[in-house]
Amino acid sequence: MTRRKTSLLWLQSAGCGGCTMSMMCAEAPGLFDTFSNFGIDLLWHPTLSEASADEVTGLLADIVDGRRSLDILCFEGSVVRGPNGSGRYHMLAGTGRPMLDWVRQLASRARHTVAIGTCAAFGGITSAGSNPADACGLQYDGDLEGGALGAGFRSNAGLPVINVAGCPTHPGWVLETLMMLAEDGLGPADLDRFGRPRFFADHLVHHGCSRNEFYEFKASAEQLSELGCMMEHLGCLGTQAHADCNTRPWNGGGSCTNGGYPCINCTAPEFEEPGRSFTETPKFGGVPIGLPTDMPKAWFIALASLSKAATPNRLRVNARADRIVQPPAVKDTTRR
């Protein structure tokens, strides 16, 4: 039986291209192995494809006019609506038309529309602050429904925009989403309230974090070079961030917290807003404001006090060091 080809078009707008760079680092399977194994036909990608100029504009016109079918539209970077809703801050080269117009027409033709990265999902970095470009996501403007396509948008398969958020997004999240779509294996129940695929968004970055023993005893680091938990003082949001970064390592073994940097919750709307210090925990009355999402404040205070009182000296010492100073005790098996 011959597998039906799944056509994929990838466009980029206001962003850094980092999600593409991340996707190209996919391992086991790699990017092109995944496309081959699941019958994904890459019609065009601005980084990966040779076609340019009239070839590309002709392809886009064929899709818009219904002469060519499109199964998956992937969009990377935020959508620029300025000035005054015209979208003319980003004109698609060679077409004389704003990217805003193109994405609306192409999304109406595609069976599925996928936002690649937090910029495409929610507006991201390019929408931060006063946002003079009026940048937004495909179906969200920050945490508000709407965006470039409108709150009521549904693809021809009946789904909202699928938001593979992250800054950048994990290559595994992108490829697994594309594999599921190629197999018609992703439905409304597989998306969370922000349209993120639940296979990664139902997890927390906290799950599998190498610093969890320090977290349990509230043995906290005070500088980025130290081994302790970074939630209490250094702004880590791993207990709130919806992603499986520490159970699905990046590039074979890495994650932000494994690399010694706090989780900044980059899969969430408005993580980028100015005034937020990524490496400092805001507090009220000495208690961190950003507590775990499902823990009442009173419980946290009570448990933290008990945990700190019971902290083994080994953890207390190692939490403030840049390497293991005191190893776990070796059990004496000679005593009876």
Side-chain angles (χ1 to χ4, degrees):
M1 180 178 177
T2 302
R3 176 188 290 272
R4 173 186 172 274
K5 288 285 188 180
T6 299
S7 57
L8 168 65
L9 173 68
W10 188 295
L11 296 178
Q12 292 176 329
S13 188
C16 65
C19 290
T20 285
M21 297 298 103
S22 176
M23 181 180 68
M24 290 172 66
C25 294
E27 300 174 313
L31 172 61
F32 295 107
D33 285 340
T34 299
F35 285 177
S36 175
N37 292 340
F38 284 83
I40 297 174
D41 179 18
L42 183 61
L43 301 181
W44 190 72
H45 185 294
T47 302
L48 304 176
S49 301
E50 294 180 355
S52 63
D54 291 346
E55 296 171 280
V56 179
T57 56
L59 169 66
L60 300 183
D62 283 348
I63 295 171
V64 167
D65 293 339
R67 293 187 294 271
R68 188 157 192 171
S69 63
L70 177 62
D71 293 307
I72 304 172
L73 170 65
C74 287
F75 196 85
E76 178 183 2
S78 65
V79 186
V80 175
R81 295 176 294 188
N84 303 318
S86 69
R88 294 185 66 83
Y89 279 153
H90 182 190
M91 304 293 287
L92 182 58
T95 69
R97 298 177 58 199
M99 178 65 84
L100 175 64
D101 291 351
W102 280 109
V103 71
R104 285 172 172 167
Q105 288 197 303
L106 290 165
S108 72
R109 290 290 188 180
R111 179 166 169 76
H112 299 287
T113 296
V114 183
I116 303 293
T118 297
C119 287
F122 309 120
I125 295 293
T126 47
S127 69
S130 59
N131 192 12
D134 197 16
C136 65
L138 289 176
Q139 198 163 17
Y140 279 86
D141 188 353
D143 61 358
L144 301 176
E145 287 187 306
L149 299 180
F153 170 82
R154 293 296 181 269
S155 70
N156 290 319
L159 293 178
V161 173
I162 300 162
N163 289 321
V164 188
C167 189
T169 187
H170 192 296
W173 304 341
V174 176
L175 294 190
E176 192 166 331
T177 298
L178 297 179
M179 287 187 279
M180 294 175 73
L181 293 177
E183 297 290 312
D184 289 326
L186 196 150
D190 300 311
L191 303 176
D192 76 356
R193 64 177 293 263
F194 285 119
R196 299 173 297 198
R198 292 180 57 189
F199 68 78
F200 75 84
D202 278 0
H203 298 268
L204 293 174
V205 170
H206 181 63
H207 299 160
C209 178
S210 61
R211 298 169 185 251
N212 276 351
E213 187 181 23
F214 293 102
Y215 170 83
E216 291 165 3
F217 286 99
K218 302 302 175 283
S220 300
E222 295 186 9
Q223 298 183 50
L224 291 177
S225 59
E226 297 171 350
L227 298 181
C229 177
M230 294 182 284
M231 173 195 162
E232 186 176 8
H233 303 302
L234 296 176
C236 185
L237 296 176
T239 56
Q240 304 168 56
H242 290 256
D244 59 3
C245 300
N246 280 310
T247 54
R248 186 202 297 255
W250 294 64
N251 299 329
S255 72
C256 292
T257 57
N258 280 346
Y261 199 83
C263 170
I264 63 174
N265 197 10
C266 72
T267 62
E270 301 183 344
F271 86 94
E272 73 289 334
E273 281 304 302
R276 174 187 164 191
S277 175
F278 289 140
T279 58
E280 182 179 336
T281 301
K283 299 176 183 178
F284 183 79
V287 179
I289 292 175
L291 297 178
T293 55
D294 47 7
M295 176 175 284
K297 183 178 294 185
W299 291 12
F300 180 86
I301 294 172
L303 288 173
S305 299
L306 288 172
S307 296
K308 287 191 174 184
T311 303
N313 187 63
R314 167 180 62 87
L315 294 180
R316 200 184 311 276
V317 170
N318 291 338
R320 297 295 311 281
D322 63 359
R323 64 182 59 83
I324 294 177
V325 175
Q326 184 173 330
V330 177
K331 184 177 181 179
D332 186 351
T333 60
T334 64
R335 297 182 180 180
R336 298 292 182 182

